[in-house]
Amino acid sequence: MIAFRVSVNGTKVCTAGVGPNGVLSIVVGRNAGSLQALIEDGDMHISGMDSDRREYFFWSSPRLRVGDEIGIEILEADRGDPPSRRIPHTESYLGLNLLHARAALGAFTGSMLRDPRGQLATIARSIRDILSRTATAIMSRALRIPAARAERALCVELNSRRLCIAGVPRRGHVMTLIAWAGSEGKRTYSHFLFSVHGRDARTDEHLDWSRPTLAVGDHVSIRIARSIEHDAPTRRAGESASPCAMPTGA
């Protein structure tokens, strides 16, 4: 089966795979001008759907900081690591959100009962971290020279060759999507999608930097960065344009 072996700073996160029939995707993104941007420098979502079992798979991933490097290797494997969560395909969107909320609340309640002092200390550290990052962001924004403003960016390489430095200005997001869709049923197909894109919230434009072709054996490297200079997008489109689409047949 097709699998994605994911690592952060050389440490393995997981080998994600859904079997011969399904969809597998990894999204690495950065936000600017939002509360999320004050809490974390970047985020990664690893998910998939097993078409045979009719289940959604989710793998856990660490919080990303500036300077972190994510490595994604596309390979064929007999098996992958078990997902941290499995959700039936029949679950509604509302039910899915409620399930996540109940699981998070249950985990917090259980840990609070087991170690109340430890949990309160963790909450206090999180609040201090948010306040510290907020204060630092406000001070940096006030003291920063406009011409030297560093933007939130993703530095993307394919097989050790630079693809682009994709960045967004004061408000917006930039992300890298790597996906695979395949089937070994009556209609056999296997498609890869690799897209570096984003959105400028000030102009409501979708930005597109690169859409290279992927194959088994390729290695993608994505670094979380702040960059004063970044590559101009190869394409700009209005808000109604779709930044990414799976090839026909997927």
Side-chain angles (χ1 to χ4, degrees):
M1 70 176 182
I2 299 296
F4 295 159
R5 181 181 293 157
V6 186
S7 63
V8 175
N9 300 326
T11 301
K12 178 184 174 182
V13 174
C14 68
T15 298
V18 297
N21 304 316
V23 179
L24 189 62
S25 69
I26 298 177
V27 177
V28 179
R30 296 206 65 189
N31 286 282
S34 66
L35 178 61
Q36 182 184 6
L38 296 175
I39 298 174
E40 58 187 13
D41 295 326
D43 59 87
M44 176 167 58
H45 301 280
I46 309 169
S47 61
M49 186 186 77
D50 186 334
S51 298
D52 294 331
R53 297 183 179 181
R54 306 285 292 176
E55 284 184 320
Y56 290 113
F57 291 171
F58 299 89
W59 288 266
S60 298
S61 58
R63 179 177 294 181
L64 301 176
R65 299 297 190 190
V66 169
D68 285 348
E69 185 168 339
I70 302 98
I72 303 168
E73 182 182 356
I74 294 108
L75 68 158
E76 291 187 357
D78 294 332
R79 58 185 300 179
D81 295 328
S84 56
R85 285 181 295 159
R86 296 171 179 261
I87 297 174
H89 183 265
T90 54
E91 291 283 350
S92 67
Y93 182 75
L94 178 59
L96 186 61
N97 287 336
L98 290 175
L99 182 64
H100 289 175
R102 284 197 297 268
L105 181 60
F108 173 76
T109 304
S111 57
M112 179 64 79
L113 292 174
R114 289 192 301 271
D115 185 15
R117 290 185 179 181
Q119 283 302 307
L120 290 174
T122 300
I123 293 172
R125 284 195 300 270
S126 299
I127 293 174
R128 286 198 301 269
D129 180 59
I130 293 172
L131 293 176
S132 175
R133 291 171 68 82
T134 303
T136 301
I138 292 173
M139 290 298 296
S140 299
R141 189 178 300 114
L143 299 175
R144 188 179 294 141
I145 301 174
R149 184 184 181 92
E151 298 180 355
R152 297 178 181 270
L154 296 177
C155 303
V156 186
E157 295 183 351
L158 175 60
N159 298 327
S160 300
R161 296 183 62 181
R162 170 181 159 171
L163 280 180
C164 63
I165 299 178
V168 291
R170 297 168 182 80
R171 291 191 299 116
H173 68 264
V174 60
M175 65 177 60
T176 296
L177 167 66
I178 298 175
W180 168 83
S183 173
E184 293 185 359
K186 296 180 179 179
R187 183 182 179 186
T188 301
Y189 64 85
S190 180
H191 294 305
F192 286 102
L193 174 65
F194 185 11
S195 172
V196 184
H197 60 274
R199 177 176 175 269
D200 187 337
R202 299 175 305 168
T203 60
D204 284 334
E205 285 184 312
H206 290 293
L207 313 176
D208 202 334
W209 280 271
S210 182
R211 290 174 180 264
T213 302
L214 283 182
V216 173
D218 285 343
H219 183 275
V220 179
S221 174
I222 306 167
R223 183 165 55 87
I224 307 294
R226 286 193 180 97
S227 178
I228 296 174
E229 297 182 358
H230 61 84
D231 299 329
T234 57
R235 187 174 70 93
R236 293 175 178 266
E239 186 177 14
S240 61
S242 174
C244 59
M246 189 65 70
T248 303

